[in-house]
Amino acid sequence: MNYLGFKKTLALEAHRLYRHSEIKSHKLTYLFWECTLRCNLHCLHCGSDCLVEAIPDMPREDFLRVLDGLAPHIDPNDFAVVITGGEPLMRPDLEECGKEIKKRGYAWGMVTNALALTPDRFARLMNAGLKSLTISLDGLEENHNHFRGNPHSFERAVRAINMAAHTDGLTFDVMTCVNRKNLKELPQIFNLLVNLGVKRWRVSNVFPKGRAKDNPLFQLSNEKFRQVFEFIREAKTKKIINVNYDCEGFLGSYEKVVRDNPFFCWAGVNIASVLCDGSISACPSLRGDYIQGNIYKDDLWDVWQNRYQVMRDRSWAKIGDCKTCKYWRYCEGSSLHLRDERTKELAYCHVKRLEAAGV
């Protein structure tokens, strides 16, 4: 393992043991609820299930029954619900949903584009028990508004970021998806977030699916792909904001350089999700063959205990380039959403791209 260096190899070996221990215990600590597929924006890079007509919102009573079924098996002090979409703020009863989750003793959070996050709505959500929040910011004003398809998107996102960054008791981060246009803006976005008081910033690439699939704007060259990691490496040295590359994809020599913890695809290990139609999955980006059941006919706890093998035993993924990859021991097939839905081979390998760029 000399290509990784002695210290990094030791760290990855320790993390490998930790990962397998987590897989063996598969303690459910994080539950996503895709509460709606409706959205108030039409983003160029949306990768959610938005190519079909939006189905009705899931009634909150249906999701609450799932939580009640989990109650005997879950430690409220080590469990959180994250509400996603679509855009959660499209639900007029979002505050009531949060209050009911809080009433059951669980922390809850939300992922939002913040277009509809007015100061009044933010205050109501905080009163309903909001504990964590992620807001997307995908460029400076011109680019962000272009990607989001709304001339007010940037100003609303910045307003919400400023509110959240100055709210005690709220775990908050900003998420940025890098593309050809905003790559050069990353240093300016960094400065903007510093001025807004942001402490945590996640940076990621756009996986070519959904609306982004055939859009060249989101197809970085291998060299520009590498530049993303070089920017994060430099930004982390400043120790002003905790900047991390998102959790997807094993990064080879960049592990422990551009994110605090080594790669781990938590899908089906600690993370489950309830999708808008009742499907039981892991992280919400996993659909299709990764659906494990449906809350309208299955008990989620039973599904959690007795299914998800496809996510916990990755031996099936050692095919194609993964079969002979020198990093298999630490990667084990990368993030599941990066695999081809038809062949199951890895369709998007971060390490291959970085090596092609000379790393």
Side-chain angles (χ1 to χ4, degrees):
M1 300 295 178
N2 294 332
Y3 42 87
L4 289 173
F6 180 70
K7 288 185 177 179
K8 186 162 296 182
T9 298
L10 284 181
L12 291 175
E13 284 292 338
H15 191 73
R16 179 176 177 271
L17 294 175
Y18 166 73
R19 182 175 70 242
H20 285 190
S21 174
E22 289 292 296
I23 291 171
K24 184 177 180 180
S25 63
H26 53 266
K27 183 178 180 181
L28 179 59
T29 59
Y30 221 71
L31 180 64
F32 281 97
W33 178 31
E34 185 184 66
C35 70
T36 182
L37 284 177
R38 294 181 296 135
C39 191
N40 49 11
L41 293 176
H42 192 79
C43 304
L44 295 178
H45 56 319
C46 180
S48 97
D49 198 12
C50 54
L51 299 178
V52 297
E53 185 177 347
I55 64 174
D57 296 351
M58 178 182 288
R60 68 173 182 262
E61 293 79 11
D62 295 355
F63 180 71
L64 294 174
R65 277 195 292 271
V66 172
L67 287 184
D68 292 340
L70 290 175
H73 315 287
I74 296 297
D75 177 3
N77 297 313
D78 193 18
F79 180 78
V81 174
V82 178
I83 303 177
T84 184
E87 171 52 50
L89 292 171
M90 295 294 287
R91 290 189 67 123
D93 68 341
L94 185 59
E95 289 86 344
E96 292 305 315
C97 296
K99 288 177 183 177
E100 289 295 332
I101 295 170
K102 179 184 177 182
K103 186 185 299 183
R104 286 159 173 78
Y106 304 126
W108 70 275
M110 179 178 67
V111 180
T112 179
N113 62 40
L115 186 69
L117 193 56
T118 63
D120 179 65
R121 190 97 198 257
F122 181 66
R124 297 203 310 266
L125 289 167
M126 290 299 299
N127 288 334
L130 182 69
K131 290 295 184 183
S132 67
L133 182 66
T134 295
I135 296 176
S136 297
L137 186 72
D138 293 320
L140 300 180
E141 187 166 11
E142 181 180 351
N143 279 330
H144 180 86
N145 288 344
H146 174 65
F147 302 142
R148 297 282 167 176
N150 187 292
H152 304 292
S153 182
F154 178 82
E155 64 178 88
R156 302 281 179 83
V158 169
R159 178 182 68 182
I161 289 168
N162 188 52
M163 290 189 298
H166 293 92
T167 300
D168 293 334
L170 181 68
T171 300
F172 168 63
D173 68 355
V174 172
M175 177 73 177
T176 298
C177 292
V178 181
N179 54 71
R180 290 185 179 185
K181 282 195 170 183
N182 69 8
L183 174 60
K184 63 180 179 297
E185 295 181 342
L186 290 178
Q188 294 165 279
I189 298 171
F190 176 91
N191 290 334
L192 172 64
L193 297 181
V194 169
N195 290 334
L196 289 171
V198 173
K199 300 300 182 185
R200 299 178 185 86
W201 184 24
R202 279 186 293 145
V203 177
S204 188
N205 299 99
V206 180
F207 178 64
K209 65 183 288 189
R211 295 184 194 138
K213 184 176 182 181
D214 300 313
N215 191 331
L217 189 65
F218 303 107
Q219 298 169 14
L220 296 181
S221 67
N222 291 333
E223 174 56 29
K224 291 187 182 301
F225 187 66
R226 183 190 67 82
Q227 288 177 25
V228 175
F229 300 105
E230 286 301 310
F231 166 78
I232 298 173
R233 182 209 294 267
E234 182 179 352
K236 287 182 79 68
T237 64
K238 297 178 181 179
K239 298 183 179 179
I240 303 173
I241 298 179
N242 186 18
V243 188
N244 278 285
Y245 188 67
D246 202 24
C247 60
E248 72 169 38
F250 181 76
L251 304 176
S253 61
Y254 278 110
E255 290 293 336
K256 292 288 287 180
V257 174
V258 298
R259 54 187 170 209
D260 295 342
N261 298 305
F263 167 74
F264 189 164
C265 183
W266 296 89
V269 177
N270 298 113
I271 295 174
S273 68
V274 175
L275 304 184
C276 199
D277 64 354
S279 295
I280 299 170
S281 186
C283 68
S285 62
L286 293 179
R287 286 173 149 82
D289 291 343
Y290 298 113
I291 299 298
Q292 303 301 305
N294 192 290
I295 64 166
Y296 294 112
K297 63 183 181 64
D298 299 303
D299 175 71
L300 192 146
W301 182 252
D302 179 69
V303 171
W304 179 256
Q305 289 295 86
N306 298 302
R307 303 185 196 177
Y308 287 92
Q309 289 87 347
V310 68
M311 302 170 198
R312 296 169 187 167
D313 179 0
R314 294 293 194 85
S315 57
W316 62 269
K318 201 171 185 178
I319 57 176
D321 291 340
C322 291
K323 189 172 184 179
T324 56
C325 180
K326 60 189 177 184
Y327 295 110
W328 169 264
R329 184 175 181 85
Y330 307 124
C331 176
E332 294 193 3
S334 195
S335 301
L336 291 177
H337 73 278
L338 301 179
R339 305 195 74 85
D340 186 276
E341 292 183 3
R342 182 179 58 85
T343 67
K344 301 306 178 189
E345 293 186 17
L346 190 60
Y348 193 86
C349 178
H350 288 54
V351 171
K352 282 181 65 175
R353 299 199 64 193
L354 290 169
E355 289 183 341
V359 176

